[in-house]
């Protein structure tokens, strides 16, 4: 329903899921509903599903963060990251990519630097893709020096990292 734009049908399915009590029991169902609503631009509903979803996990949070990002709601995506951490869920590479893009979209250099520190703590600093996203965030936030530093620290440089630097 999310991929083909069927909000009405998706909402009907959601009501059936609620009637059967599946949202409280199945992680995958909640995650799929969050993703569907996010893709359809119904971010409020996606957030409500996350709040009601008792078995939320990293995928649940990543789906909502990606939804915020998809609809140019960078600040909300970063607030979601804070809530995720408050709920003792550790971010992964997918979370970091979305949140760094959110930082770039709203010029949140300080938050991007905090995420960069977290990336290093979790041992992802040599990841070429994450490195390119970090470079993009630093560049869009006006920190060319940091962009060059991340580039210099990459163990492998690909077309994306070179293009970002250029």
């Amino acid at each position: 329903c999310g991929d083909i734009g069927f909000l009405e049908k998706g909402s009907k399915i959601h009501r059936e899921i609620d009637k059967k009590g599946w949202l409280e029991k199945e992680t995958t169902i909640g995650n799929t509903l969050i993703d569907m609503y996010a893709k359809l631009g119904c971010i409020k509903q996606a957030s409500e599903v996350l709040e009601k979803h008792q078995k939320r996990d990293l995928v649940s949070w990543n789906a909502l963060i990606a939804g915020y990002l998809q609809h140019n709601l960078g600040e909300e995506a970063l607030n979601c990251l804070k809530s995720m951490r408050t709920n003792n869920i550790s971010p992964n590479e997918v979370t970091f990519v979305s949140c760094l893009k959110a930082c770039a979209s709203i010029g949140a250099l300080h938050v991007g630097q905090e995420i960069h520190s977290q990336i290093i703590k979790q041992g992802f600093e040599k990841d070429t893709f994450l490195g390119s996203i970090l470079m993009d965030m630093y560049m869009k936030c006006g920190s060319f020096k940091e962009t060059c530093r991340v580039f210099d620290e990459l163990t492998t440089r690909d077309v994306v990292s070179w293009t970002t630097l250029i």
Side-chain angles (χ1 to χ4, degrees), residues 1 6-24 29-30 32-34 36-37 40 42 44-50 52-53:
C1 292
F6 282 4
L7 175 59
E8 187 176 321
K9 182 70 169 174
S11 295
K12 184 177 178 181
I13 293 169
H14 183 183
R15 286 190 295 277
E16 282 297 312
I17 289 167
D18 279 346
K19 284 180 189 175
K20 296 183 186 282
W22 291 344
L23 186 59
E24 291 79 26
I29 291 174
T32 303
L33 284 172
I34 293 166
M36 176 197 70
Y37 283 124
L40 293 170
C42 301
K44 182 179 180 208
Q45 288 91 331
S47 179
E48 288 171 358
V49 170
L50 181 83
K52 291 178 186 175
H53 188 27

PDB file of all heavy atoms in Angstrom, residues 1 6-24 29-30 32-34 36-37 40 42 44-50 52-53:
ATOM      1  N   CYS A   1       0.825  -1.205   0.000  1.00  0.00           N
ATOM      2  CA  CYS A   1       0.000   0.000   0.000  1.00  0.00           C
ATOM      3  C   CYS A   1       0.867   1.266   0.000  1.00  0.00           C
ATOM      4  O   CYS A   1       0.530   2.234  -0.673  1.00  0.00           O
ATOM      5  CB  CYS A   1      -0.931  -0.005   1.200  1.00  0.00           C
ATOM      6  SG  CYS A   1      -2.215  -1.277   1.124  1.00  0.00           S
ATOM      7  N   PHE A   6      -1.739   3.547  -1.746  1.00  0.00           N
ATOM      8  CA  PHE A   6      -3.090   3.177  -1.317  1.00  0.00           C
ATOM      9  C   PHE A   6      -3.282   3.427   0.173  1.00  0.00           C
ATOM     10  O   PHE A   6      -3.319   2.493   0.972  1.00  0.00           O
ATOM     11  CB  PHE A   6      -3.370   1.715  -1.640  1.00  0.00           C
ATOM     12  CG  PHE A   6      -3.702   1.429  -3.080  1.00  0.00           C
ATOM     13  CD1 PHE A   6      -3.668   2.419  -4.047  1.00  0.00           C
ATOM     14  CD2 PHE A   6      -4.052   0.148  -3.467  1.00  0.00           C
ATOM     15  CE1 PHE A   6      -3.968   2.150  -5.369  1.00  0.00           C
ATOM     16  CE2 PHE A   6      -4.361  -0.131  -4.792  1.00  0.00           C
ATOM     17  CZ  PHE A   6      -4.315   0.873  -5.738  1.00  0.00           C
ATOM     18  N   LEU A   7      -3.443   4.678   0.555  1.00  0.00           N
ATOM     19  CA  LEU A   7      -3.618   5.027   1.965  1.00  0.00           C
ATOM     20  C   LEU A   7      -4.904   4.427   2.532  1.00  0.00           C
ATOM     21  O   LEU A   7      -4.903   3.865   3.626  1.00  0.00           O
ATOM     22  CB  LEU A   7      -3.618   6.543   2.154  1.00  0.00           C
ATOM     23  CG  LEU A   7      -3.908   7.041   3.576  1.00  0.00           C
ATOM     24  CD1 LEU A   7      -2.881   6.497   4.561  1.00  0.00           C
ATOM     25  CD2 LEU A   7      -3.930   8.562   3.601  1.00  0.00           C
ATOM     26  N   GLU A   8      -5.993   4.558   1.792  1.00  0.00           N
ATOM     27  CA  GLU A   8      -7.280   4.061   2.294  1.00  0.00           C
ATOM     28  C   GLU A   8      -7.223   2.558   2.564  1.00  0.00           C
ATOM     29  O   GLU A   8      -7.651   2.089   3.618  1.00  0.00           O
ATOM     30  CB  GLU A   8      -8.391   4.389   1.295  1.00  0.00           C
ATOM     31  CG  GLU A   8      -9.775   4.067   1.822  1.00  0.00           C
ATOM     32  CD  GLU A   8     -10.867   4.504   0.850  1.00  0.00           C
ATOM     33  OE1 GLU A   8     -10.732   5.574   0.232  1.00  0.00           O
ATOM     34  OE2 GLU A   8     -11.849   3.753   0.733  1.00  0.00           O
ATOM     35  N   LYS A   9      -6.683   1.816   1.629  1.00  0.00           N
ATOM     36  CA  LYS A   9      -6.568   0.357   1.802  1.00  0.00           C
ATOM     37  C   LYS A   9      -5.615   0.038   2.957  1.00  0.00           C
ATOM     38  O   LYS A   9      -5.887  -0.840   3.775  1.00  0.00           O
ATOM     39  CB  LYS A   9      -6.067  -0.283   0.497  1.00  0.00           C
ATOM     40  CG  LYS A   9      -5.945  -1.779   0.545  1.00  0.00           C
ATOM     41  CD  LYS A   9      -7.304  -2.430   0.589  1.00  0.00           C
ATOM     42  CE  LYS A   9      -7.173  -3.929   0.372  1.00  0.00           C
ATOM     43  NZ  LYS A   9      -8.443  -4.608   0.534  1.00  0.00           N
ATOM     44  N   GLY A  10      -4.495   0.746   3.044  1.00  0.00           N
ATOM     45  CA  GLY A  10      -3.543   0.528   4.124  1.00  0.00           C
ATOM     46  C   GLY A  10      -4.144   0.827   5.489  1.00  0.00           C
ATOM     47  O   GLY A  10      -3.920   0.095   6.461  1.00  0.00           O
ATOM     48  N   SER A  11      -4.933   1.891   5.573  1.00  0.00           N
ATOM     49  CA  SER A  11      -5.601   2.229   6.832  1.00  0.00           C
ATOM     50  C   SER A  11      -6.617   1.161   7.217  1.00  0.00           C
ATOM     51  O   SER A  11      -6.767   0.834   8.403  1.00  0.00           O
ATOM     52  CB  SER A  11      -6.302   3.591   6.709  1.00  0.00           C
ATOM     53  OG  SER A  11      -5.354   4.605   6.516  1.00  0.00           O
ATOM     54  N   LYS A  12      -7.294   0.622   6.222  1.00  0.00           N
ATOM     55  CA  LYS A  12      -8.264  -0.451   6.482  1.00  0.00           C
ATOM     56  C   LYS A  12      -7.546  -1.685   7.036  1.00  0.00           C
ATOM     57  O   LYS A  12      -7.993  -2.299   8.010  1.00  0.00           O
ATOM     58  CB  LYS A  12      -9.007  -0.800   5.198  1.00  0.00           C
ATOM     59  CG  LYS A  12     -10.088  -1.833   5.371  1.00  0.00           C
ATOM     60  CD  LYS A  12     -10.835  -2.085   4.071  1.00  0.00           C
ATOM     61  CE  LYS A  12     -11.886  -3.159   4.284  1.00  0.00           C
ATOM     62  NZ  LYS A  12     -12.609  -3.454   3.046  1.00  0.00           N
ATOM     63  N   ILE A  13      -6.426  -2.023   6.449  1.00  0.00           N
ATOM     64  CA  ILE A  13      -5.634  -3.158   6.930  1.00  0.00           C
ATOM     65  C   ILE A  13      -5.147  -2.879   8.355  1.00  0.00           C
ATOM     66  O   ILE A  13      -5.182  -3.761   9.214  1.00  0.00           O
ATOM     67  CB  ILE A  13      -4.462  -3.448   5.973  1.00  0.00           C
ATOM     68  CG1 ILE A  13      -4.992  -3.958   4.632  1.00  0.00           C
ATOM     69  CG2 ILE A  13      -3.484  -4.448   6.592  1.00  0.00           C
ATOM     70  CD1 ILE A  13      -3.949  -4.015   3.524  1.00  0.00           C
ATOM     71  N   HIS A  14      -4.726  -1.643   8.606  1.00  0.00           N
ATOM     72  CA  HIS A  14      -4.273  -1.253   9.944  1.00  0.00           C
ATOM     73  C   HIS A  14      -5.391  -1.470  10.964  1.00  0.00           C
ATOM     74  O   HIS A  14      -5.150  -1.990  12.059  1.00  0.00           O
ATOM     75  CB  HIS A  14      -3.806   0.195   9.930  1.00  0.00           C
ATOM     76  CG  HIS A  14      -3.265   0.673  11.229  1.00  0.00           C
ATOM     77  ND1 HIS A  14      -2.854   1.958  11.413  1.00  0.00           N
ATOM     78  CD2 HIS A  14      -3.058   0.063  12.427  1.00  0.00           C
ATOM     79  CE1 HIS A  14      -2.422   2.121  12.653  1.00  0.00           C
ATOM     80  NE2 HIS A  14      -2.555   0.975  13.290  1.00  0.00           N
ATOM     81  N   ARG A  15      -6.619  -1.068  10.623  1.00  0.00           N
ATOM     82  CA  ARG A  15      -7.751  -1.263  11.548  1.00  0.00           C
ATOM     83  C   ARG A  15      -7.964  -2.757  11.845  1.00  0.00           C
ATOM     84  O   ARG A  15      -8.232  -3.137  12.991  1.00  0.00           O
ATOM     85  CB  ARG A  15      -9.014  -0.627  10.981  1.00  0.00           C
ATOM     86  CG  ARG A  15      -9.005   0.897  11.068  1.00  0.00           C
ATOM     87  CD  ARG A  15     -10.342   1.518  10.730  1.00  0.00           C
ATOM     88  NE  ARG A  15     -10.763   1.313   9.341  1.00  0.00           N
ATOM     89  CZ  ARG A  15     -10.371   2.047   8.305  1.00  0.00           C
ATOM     90  NH1 ARG A  15      -9.529   3.051   8.500  1.00  0.00           N
ATOM     91  NH2 ARG A  15     -10.808   1.791   7.094  1.00  0.00           N
ATOM     92  N   GLU A  16      -7.818  -3.586  10.843  1.00  0.00           N
ATOM     93  CA  GLU A  16      -7.962  -5.037  11.045  1.00  0.00           C
ATOM     94  C   GLU A  16      -6.863  -5.575  11.968  1.00  0.00           C
ATOM     95  O   GLU A  16      -7.115  -6.399  12.839  1.00  0.00           O
ATOM     96  CB  GLU A  16      -7.923  -5.780   9.697  1.00  0.00           C
ATOM     97  CG  GLU A  16      -9.198  -5.710   8.908  1.00  0.00           C
ATOM     98  CD  GLU A  16     -10.368  -6.365   9.633  1.00  0.00           C
ATOM     99  OE1 GLU A  16     -10.228  -7.503  10.142  1.00  0.00           O
ATOM    100  OE2 GLU A  16     -11.432  -5.725   9.703  1.00  0.00           O
ATOM    101  N   ILE A  17      -5.660  -5.066  11.764  1.00  0.00           N
ATOM    102  CA  ILE A  17      -4.532  -5.466  12.616  1.00  0.00           C
ATOM    103  C   ILE A  17      -4.815  -5.080  14.065  1.00  0.00           C
ATOM    104  O   ILE A  17      -4.578  -5.869  14.986  1.00  0.00           O
ATOM    105  CB  ILE A  17      -3.221  -4.822  12.101  1.00  0.00           C
ATOM    106  CG1 ILE A  17      -2.798  -5.481  10.797  1.00  0.00           C
ATOM    107  CG2 ILE A  17      -2.115  -4.896  13.142  1.00  0.00           C
ATOM    108  CD1 ILE A  17      -1.708  -4.730  10.040  1.00  0.00           C
ATOM    109  N   ASP A  18      -5.330  -3.857  14.264  1.00  0.00           N
ATOM    110  CA  ASP A  18      -5.674  -3.408  15.612  1.00  0.00           C
ATOM    111  C   ASP A  18      -6.745  -4.298  16.243  1.00  0.00           C
ATOM    112  O   ASP A  18      -6.649  -4.665  17.417  1.00  0.00           O
ATOM    113  CB  ASP A  18      -6.159  -1.952  15.599  1.00  0.00           C
ATOM    114  CG  ASP A  18      -5.012  -0.954  15.554  1.00  0.00           C
ATOM    115  OD1 ASP A  18      -3.850  -1.349  15.805  1.00  0.00           O
ATOM    116  OD2 ASP A  18      -5.277   0.227  15.249  1.00  0.00           O
ATOM    117  N   LYS A  19      -7.776  -4.634  15.467  1.00  0.00           N
ATOM    118  CA  LYS A  19      -8.858  -5.487  15.980  1.00  0.00           C
ATOM    119  C   LYS A  19      -8.333  -6.838  16.457  1.00  0.00           C
ATOM    120  O   LYS A  19      -8.791  -7.377  17.453  1.00  0.00           O
ATOM    121  CB  LYS A  19      -9.919  -5.720  14.897  1.00  0.00           C
ATOM    122  CG  LYS A  19     -10.827  -4.551  14.659  1.00  0.00           C
ATOM    123  CD  LYS A  19     -11.830  -4.891  13.567  1.00  0.00           C
ATOM    124  CE  LYS A  19     -12.604  -3.648  13.149  1.00  0.00           C
ATOM    125  NZ  LYS A  19     -13.496  -3.934  12.018  1.00  0.00           N
ATOM    126  N   LYS A  20      -7.377  -7.376  15.738  1.00  0.00           N
ATOM    127  CA  LYS A  20      -6.840  -8.698  16.058  1.00  0.00           C
ATOM    128  C   LYS A  20      -5.723  -8.637  17.107  1.00  0.00           C
ATOM    129  O   LYS A  20      -5.253  -9.658  17.571  1.00  0.00           O
ATOM    130  CB  LYS A  20      -6.347  -9.381  14.793  1.00  0.00           C
ATOM    131  CG  LYS A  20      -7.474  -9.649  13.797  1.00  0.00           C
ATOM    132  CD  LYS A  20      -6.990 -10.387  12.587  1.00  0.00           C
ATOM    133  CE  LYS A  20      -8.057 -10.526  11.547  1.00  0.00           C
ATOM    134  NZ  LYS A  20      -9.025 -11.552  11.809  1.00  0.00           N
ATOM    135  N   GLY A  21      -5.295  -7.416  17.471  1.00  0.00           N
ATOM    136  CA  GLY A  21      -4.263  -7.255  18.484  1.00  0.00           C
ATOM    137  C   GLY A  21      -2.868  -7.637  18.013  1.00  0.00           C
ATOM    138  O   GLY A  21      -1.965  -7.867  18.820  1.00  0.00           O
ATOM    139  N   TRP A  22      -2.657  -7.665  16.715  1.00  0.00           N
ATOM    140  CA  TRP A  22      -1.362  -8.092  16.172  1.00  0.00           C
ATOM    141  C   TRP A  22      -0.260  -7.075  16.368  1.00  0.00           C
ATOM    142  O   TRP A  22       0.915  -7.424  16.438  1.00  0.00           O
ATOM    143  CB  TRP A  22      -1.490  -8.434  14.690  1.00  0.00           C
ATOM    144  CG  TRP A  22      -2.280  -9.671  14.411  1.00  0.00           C
ATOM    145  CD1 TRP A  22      -2.630 -10.649  15.299  1.00  0.00           C
ATOM    146  CD2 TRP A  22      -2.834 -10.056  13.164  1.00  0.00           C
ATOM    147  NE1 TRP A  22      -3.359 -11.620  14.674  1.00  0.00           N
ATOM    148  CE2 TRP A  22      -3.500 -11.284  13.347  1.00  0.00           C
ATOM    149  CE3 TRP A  22      -2.830  -9.488  11.893  1.00  0.00           C
ATOM    150  CZ2 TRP A  22      -4.149 -11.952  12.322  1.00  0.00           C
ATOM    151  CZ3 TRP A  22      -3.476 -10.148  10.870  1.00  0.00           C
ATOM    152  CH2 TRP A  22      -4.127 -11.365  11.094  1.00  0.00           C
ATOM    153  N   LEU A  23      -0.623  -5.811  16.438  1.00  0.00           N
ATOM    154  CA  LEU A  23       0.401  -4.773  16.579  1.00  0.00           C
ATOM    155  C   LEU A  23       1.195  -4.953  17.868  1.00  0.00           C
ATOM    156  O   LEU A  23       2.399  -4.718  17.900  1.00  0.00           O
ATOM    157  CB  LEU A  23      -0.234  -3.380  16.534  1.00  0.00           C
ATOM    158  CG  LEU A  23       0.730  -2.201  16.535  1.00  0.00           C
ATOM    159  CD1 LEU A  23       1.683  -2.262  15.344  1.00  0.00           C
ATOM    160  CD2 LEU A  23      -0.028  -0.887  16.532  1.00  0.00           C
ATOM    161  N   GLU A  24       0.531  -5.408  18.911  1.00  0.00           N
ATOM    162  CA  GLU A  24       1.204  -5.604  20.190  1.00  0.00           C
ATOM    163  C   GLU A  24       2.065  -6.861  20.200  1.00  0.00           C
ATOM    164  O   GLU A  24       2.926  -7.022  21.053  1.00  0.00           O
ATOM    165  CB  GLU A  24       0.177  -5.697  21.328  1.00  0.00           C
ATOM    166  CG  GLU A  24      -0.536  -4.390  21.627  1.00  0.00           C
ATOM    167  CD  GLU A  24      -1.665  -4.079  20.638  1.00  0.00           C
ATOM    168  OE1 GLU A  24      -2.233  -5.022  20.032  1.00  0.00           O
ATOM    169  OE2 GLU A  24      -1.956  -2.894  20.452  1.00  0.00           O
ATOM    170  N   ILE A  29       4.954  -6.486  11.778  1.00  0.00           N
ATOM    171  CA  ILE A  29       3.726  -5.792  11.383  1.00  0.00           C
ATOM    172  C   ILE A  29       3.815  -4.306  11.735  1.00  0.00           C
ATOM    173  O   ILE A  29       3.496  -3.450  10.913  1.00  0.00           O
ATOM    174  CB  ILE A  29       2.486  -6.453  12.041  1.00  0.00           C
ATOM    175  CG1 ILE A  29       2.259  -7.831  11.428  1.00  0.00           C
ATOM    176  CG2 ILE A  29       1.251  -5.572  11.871  1.00  0.00           C
ATOM    177  CD1 ILE A  29       1.174  -8.647  12.081  1.00  0.00           C
ATOM    178  N   GLY A  30       4.261  -4.000  12.934  1.00  0.00           N
ATOM    179  CA  GLY A  30       4.412  -2.595  13.325  1.00  0.00           C
ATOM    180  C   GLY A  30       5.399  -1.864  12.444  1.00  0.00           C
ATOM    181  O   GLY A  30       5.148  -0.739  11.997  1.00  0.00           O
ATOM    182  N   THR A  32       6.220  -2.550   9.391  1.00  0.00           N
ATOM    183  CA  THR A  32       5.650  -2.393   8.056  1.00  0.00           C
ATOM    184  C   THR A  32       4.632  -1.262   8.034  1.00  0.00           C
ATOM    185  O   THR A  32       4.589  -0.486   7.070  1.00  0.00           O
ATOM    186  CB  THR A  32       5.014  -3.718   7.592  1.00  0.00           C
ATOM    187  OG1 THR A  32       6.015  -4.742   7.643  1.00  0.00           O
ATOM    188  CG2 THR A  32       4.481  -3.611   6.180  1.00  0.00           C
ATOM    189  N   LEU A  33       3.839  -1.138   9.076  1.00  0.00           N
ATOM    190  CA  LEU A  33       2.876  -0.030   9.150  1.00  0.00           C
ATOM    191  C   LEU A  33       3.595   1.318   9.232  1.00  0.00           C
ATOM    192  O   LEU A  33       3.194   2.285   8.568  1.00  0.00           O
ATOM    193  CB  LEU A  33       1.950  -0.200  10.357  1.00  0.00           C
ATOM    194  CG  LEU A  33       0.849  -1.241  10.225  1.00  0.00           C
ATOM    195  CD1 LEU A  33       0.144  -1.439  11.568  1.00  0.00           C
ATOM    196  CD2 LEU A  33      -0.151  -0.842   9.155  1.00  0.00           C
ATOM    197  N   ILE A  34       4.650   1.389  10.024  1.00  0.00           N
ATOM    198  CA  ILE A  34       5.424   2.638  10.123  1.00  0.00           C
ATOM    199  C   ILE A  34       5.969   3.007   8.751  1.00  0.00           C
ATOM    200  O   ILE A  34       5.842   4.149   8.302  1.00  0.00           O
ATOM    201  CB  ILE A  34       6.571   2.495  11.149  1.00  0.00           C
ATOM    202  CG1 ILE A  34       6.013   2.337  12.561  1.00  0.00           C
ATOM    203  CG2 ILE A  34       7.523   3.701  11.077  1.00  0.00           C
ATOM    204  CD1 ILE A  34       7.025   1.860  13.587  1.00  0.00           C
ATOM    205  N   MET A  36       4.869   2.049   5.783  1.00  0.00           N
ATOM    206  CA  MET A  36       3.778   2.392   4.871  1.00  0.00           C
ATOM    207  C   MET A  36       3.340   3.835   5.084  1.00  0.00           C
ATOM    208  O   MET A  36       3.257   4.620   4.134  1.00  0.00           O
ATOM    209  CB  MET A  36       2.584   1.466   5.069  1.00  0.00           C
ATOM    210  CG  MET A  36       1.387   1.849   4.190  1.00  0.00           C
ATOM    211  SD  MET A  36      -0.181   1.133   4.713  1.00  0.00           S
ATOM    212  CE  MET A  36      -0.527   2.017   6.227  1.00  0.00           C
ATOM    213  N   TYR A  37       3.046   4.200   6.334  1.00  0.00           N
ATOM    214  CA  TYR A  37       2.587   5.556   6.602  1.00  0.00           C
ATOM    215  C   TYR A  37       3.656   6.590   6.245  1.00  0.00           C
ATOM    216  O   TYR A  37       3.346   7.654   5.697  1.00  0.00           O
ATOM    217  CB  TYR A  37       2.154   5.707   8.062  1.00  0.00           C
ATOM    218  CG  TYR A  37       0.794   5.120   8.358  1.00  0.00           C
ATOM    219  CD1 TYR A  37       0.632   4.154   9.346  1.00  0.00           C
ATOM    220  CD2 TYR A  37      -0.340   5.537   7.669  1.00  0.00           C
ATOM    221  CE1 TYR A  37      -0.629   3.615   9.620  1.00  0.00           C
ATOM    222  CE2 TYR A  37      -1.592   5.005   7.931  1.00  0.00           C
ATOM    223  CZ  TYR A  37      -1.728   4.052   8.907  1.00  0.00           C
ATOM    224  OH  TYR A  37      -2.967   3.525   9.181  1.00  0.00           O
ATOM    225  N   LEU A  40       3.759   7.192   2.573  1.00  0.00           N
ATOM    226  CA  LEU A  40       2.576   7.906   2.110  1.00  0.00           C
ATOM    227  C   LEU A  40       2.525   9.348   2.621  1.00  0.00           C
ATOM    228  O   LEU A  40       1.580  10.072   2.342  1.00  0.00           O
ATOM    229  CB  LEU A  40       1.308   7.149   2.533  1.00  0.00           C
ATOM    230  CG  LEU A  40       1.124   5.790   1.858  1.00  0.00           C
ATOM    231  CD1 LEU A  40      -0.004   5.010   2.519  1.00  0.00           C
ATOM    232  CD2 LEU A  40       0.866   5.958   0.366  1.00  0.00           C
ATOM    233  N   CYS A  42       2.258  10.271   5.704  1.00  0.00           N
ATOM    234  CA  CYS A  42       1.421  10.344   6.910  1.00  0.00           C
ATOM    235  C   CYS A  42       2.315  10.130   8.132  1.00  0.00           C
ATOM    236  O   CYS A  42       2.215   9.117   8.839  1.00  0.00           O
ATOM    237  CB  CYS A  42       0.317   9.300   6.850  1.00  0.00           C
ATOM    238  SG  CYS A  42      -0.753   9.481   5.413  1.00  0.00           S
ATOM    239  N   LYS A  44       2.517  11.623  10.991  1.00  0.00           N
ATOM    240  CA  LYS A  44       1.858  11.587  12.301  1.00  0.00           C
ATOM    241  C   LYS A  44       1.371  10.165  12.607  1.00  0.00           C
ATOM    242  O   LYS A  44       1.581   9.654  13.700  1.00  0.00           O
ATOM    243  CB  LYS A  44       0.689  12.568  12.339  1.00  0.00           C
ATOM    244  CG  LYS A  44       0.000  12.612  13.674  1.00  0.00           C
ATOM    245  CD  LYS A  44      -1.140  13.606  13.697  1.00  0.00           C
ATOM    246  CE  LYS A  44      -1.782  13.585  15.075  1.00  0.00           C
ATOM    247  NZ  LYS A  44      -3.170  13.942  15.058  1.00  0.00           N
ATOM    248  N   GLN A  45       0.759   9.511  11.623  1.00  0.00           N
ATOM    249  CA  GLN A  45       0.285   8.141  11.824  1.00  0.00           C
ATOM    250  C   GLN A  45       1.452   7.187  12.036  1.00  0.00           C
ATOM    251  O   GLN A  45       1.373   6.280  12.868  1.00  0.00           O
ATOM    252  CB  GLN A  45      -0.573   7.670  10.644  1.00  0.00           C
ATOM    253  CG  GLN A  45      -1.927   8.327  10.583  1.00  0.00           C
ATOM    254  CD  GLN A  45      -1.926   9.598   9.727  1.00  0.00           C
ATOM    255  OE1 GLN A  45      -0.921  10.282   9.598  1.00  0.00           O
ATOM    256  NE2 GLN A  45      -3.079   9.915   9.159  1.00  0.00           N
ATOM    257  N   ALA A  46       2.538   7.396  11.291  1.00  0.00           N
ATOM    258  CA  ALA A  46       3.719   6.542  11.461  1.00  0.00           C
ATOM    259  C   ALA A  46       4.263   6.671  12.879  1.00  0.00           C
ATOM    260  O   ALA A  46       4.596   5.668  13.524  1.00  0.00           O
ATOM    261  CB  ALA A  46       4.795   6.920  10.437  1.00  0.00           C
ATOM    262  N   SER A  47       4.310   7.901  13.374  1.00  0.00           N
ATOM    263  CA  SER A  47       4.789   8.143  14.731  1.00  0.00           C
ATOM    264  C   SER A  47       3.857   7.520  15.766  1.00  0.00           C
ATOM    265  O   SER A  47       4.315   6.947  16.763  1.00  0.00           O
ATOM    266  CB  SER A  47       4.913   9.653  14.962  1.00  0.00           C
ATOM    267  OG  SER A  47       5.358   9.921  16.258  1.00  0.00           O
ATOM    268  N   GLU A  48       2.562   7.620  15.535  1.00  0.00           N
ATOM    269  CA  GLU A  48       1.587   7.020  16.451  1.00  0.00           C
ATOM    270  C   GLU A  48       1.734   5.504  16.506  1.00  0.00           C
ATOM    271  O   GLU A  48       1.623   4.903  17.584  1.00  0.00           O
ATOM    272  CB  GLU A  48       0.167   7.406  16.046  1.00  0.00           C
ATOM    273  CG  GLU A  48      -0.157   8.855  16.331  1.00  0.00           C
ATOM    274  CD  GLU A  48      -1.482   9.313  15.736  1.00  0.00           C
ATOM    275  OE1 GLU A  48      -2.171   8.518  15.046  1.00  0.00           O
ATOM    276  OE2 GLU A  48      -1.846  10.487  15.971  1.00  0.00           O
ATOM    277  N   VAL A  49       1.984   4.881  15.347  1.00  0.00           N
ATOM    278  CA  VAL A  49       2.189   3.429  15.329  1.00  0.00           C
ATOM    279  C   VAL A  49       3.422   3.087  16.161  1.00  0.00           C
ATOM    280  O   VAL A  49       3.400   2.151  16.960  1.00  0.00           O
ATOM    281  CB  VAL A  49       2.323   2.882  13.886  1.00  0.00           C
ATOM    282  CG1 VAL A  49       2.772   1.418  13.890  1.00  0.00           C
ATOM    283  CG2 VAL A  49       1.001   3.020  13.130  1.00  0.00           C
ATOM    284  N   LEU A  50       4.488   3.859  15.999  1.00  0.00           N
ATOM    285  CA  LEU A  50       5.701   3.598  16.784  1.00  0.00           C
ATOM    286  C   LEU A  50       5.401   3.696  18.280  1.00  0.00           C
ATOM    287  O   LEU A  50       5.843   2.846  19.055  1.00  0.00           O
ATOM    288  CB  LEU A  50       6.822   4.564  16.412  1.00  0.00           C
ATOM    289  CG  LEU A  50       8.118   4.334  17.166  1.00  0.00           C
ATOM    290  CD1 LEU A  50       8.924   3.224  16.509  1.00  0.00           C
ATOM    291  CD2 LEU A  50       8.951   5.586  17.245  1.00  0.00           C
ATOM    292  N   LYS A  52       2.572   3.235  19.854  1.00  0.00           N
ATOM    293  CA  LYS A  52       1.698   2.140  20.298  1.00  0.00           C
ATOM    294  C   LYS A  52       2.378   0.781  20.208  1.00  0.00           C
ATOM    295  O   LYS A  52       1.994  -0.154  20.896  1.00  0.00           O
ATOM    296  CB  LYS A  52       0.424   2.098  19.455  1.00  0.00           C
ATOM    297  CG  LYS A  52      -0.495   3.269  19.678  1.00  0.00           C
ATOM    298  CD  LYS A  52      -1.704   3.162  18.770  1.00  0.00           C
ATOM    299  CE  LYS A  52      -2.580   4.392  18.868  1.00  0.00           C
ATOM    300  NZ  LYS A  52      -3.696   4.349  17.909  1.00  0.00           N
ATOM    301  N   HIS A  53       3.359   0.703  19.355  1.00  0.00           N
ATOM    302  CA  HIS A  53       4.036  -0.559  19.038  1.00  0.00           C
ATOM    303  C   HIS A  53       4.924  -0.979  20.207  1.00  0.00           C
ATOM    304  O   HIS A  53       5.967  -0.390  20.442  1.00  0.00           O
ATOM    305  CB  HIS A  53       4.841  -0.351  17.767  1.00  0.00           C
ATOM    306  CG  HIS A  53       5.458  -1.553  17.169  1.00  0.00           C
ATOM    307  ND1 HIS A  53       4.958  -2.819  17.321  1.00  0.00           N
ATOM    308  CD2 HIS A  53       6.553  -1.691  16.379  1.00  0.00           C
ATOM    309  CE1 HIS A  53       5.719  -3.677  16.663  1.00  0.00           C
ATOM    310  NE2 HIS A  53       6.694  -3.010  16.088  1.00  0.00           N
TER     311      HIS A  53
END
